[in-house]
Amino acid sequence: AGLSPLIKFADHLGIRWHVICDGDDAGLKYKKRAQSLLRERAEARHITVLSHRDIEHFLWDKGFADTYRSAAAPRGVMNAYYIAALAQQAELSDEETINRALRYHSKPGMALEIAESAELMGINAIPAELQAMFQILQSLSDETT
């Protein structure tokens, strides 16, 4: 549907919204578009811009690299031969590992993988930027119209 129609629809229905933008050029365009729809609301309560080019690299650098590495292995082939073959290969770059993980799990699937990892690692594993955003979301949901 696009960002603008979603924000306008949310505003029309009185739904509080918050946009998380990647740190790349496309994300910065989303930020500018969201800024234009703030209607005198505080930007910090409605827009978060990641310090990385995308959410995957952000999460990779914030402690979830092993989750991506695990997800980058095809399911059902983790036998002794496959593990031995992997051990002889050079380690994949973060870029290739993330791409493989997304190929095997999709973005929504990886979101679930990350959520499960975060649950196992505990609340302190959740990056501070995301914890701050979740607090903002909670406060937005508590507001009355």
Side-chain angles (χ1 to χ4, degrees):
L3 182 63
S4 296
L6 288 173
I7 290 175
K8 290 176 183 177
F9 187 63
D11 281 342
H12 178 74
L13 294 177
I15 299 170
R16 310 295 184 289
W17 55 268
H18 189 95
V19 176
I20 185 168
C21 305
D22 292 340
D24 63 2
D25 289 341
L28 297 178
K29 287 179 186 176
Y30 276 118
K31 176 187 174 187
K32 286 183 181 183
R33 190 64 191 134
Q35 286 172 321
S36 74
L37 298 167
L38 283 171
R39 298 190 309 178
E40 302 191 25
R41 290 175 281 211
E43 180 176 327
R45 291 183 50 76
H46 296 277
I47 302 170
T48 295
V49 179
L50 296 176
S51 55
H52 291 66
R53 67 180 181 209
D54 56 43
I55 189 75
E56 292 83 15
H57 286 86
F58 173 81
L59 291 167
W60 176 281
D61 286 343
K62 298 294 181 170
F64 290 90
D66 285 342
T67 305
Y68 283 97
R69 286 185 188 104
S70 174
R75 296 286 187 217
V77 296
M78 287 306 242
N79 59 41
Y81 297 110
Y82 185 76
I83 292 169
L86 281 179
Q88 293 180 354
Q89 291 181 348
E91 187 171 337
L92 298 175
S93 68
D94 59 344
E95 189 74 27
E96 181 60 27
T97 303
I98 289 168
N99 287 337
R100 284 187 185 189
L102 291 174
R103 190 169 41 243
Y104 293 132
H105 294 274
S106 76
K107 285 198 175 227
M110 277 311 303
L112 292 173
E113 296 284 330
I114 294 294
E116 289 174 2
S117 290
E119 182 179 20
L120 293 172
M121 293 189 294
I123 194 163
N124 292 332
I126 299 171
E129 299 92 330
L130 294 184
Q131 287 191 34
M133 185 191 67
F134 293 142
Q135 289 175 345
I136 291 168
L137 292 171
Q138 180 66 49
S139 69
L140 286 171
S141 71
D142 291 341
E143 291 178 3
T144 58
T145 51

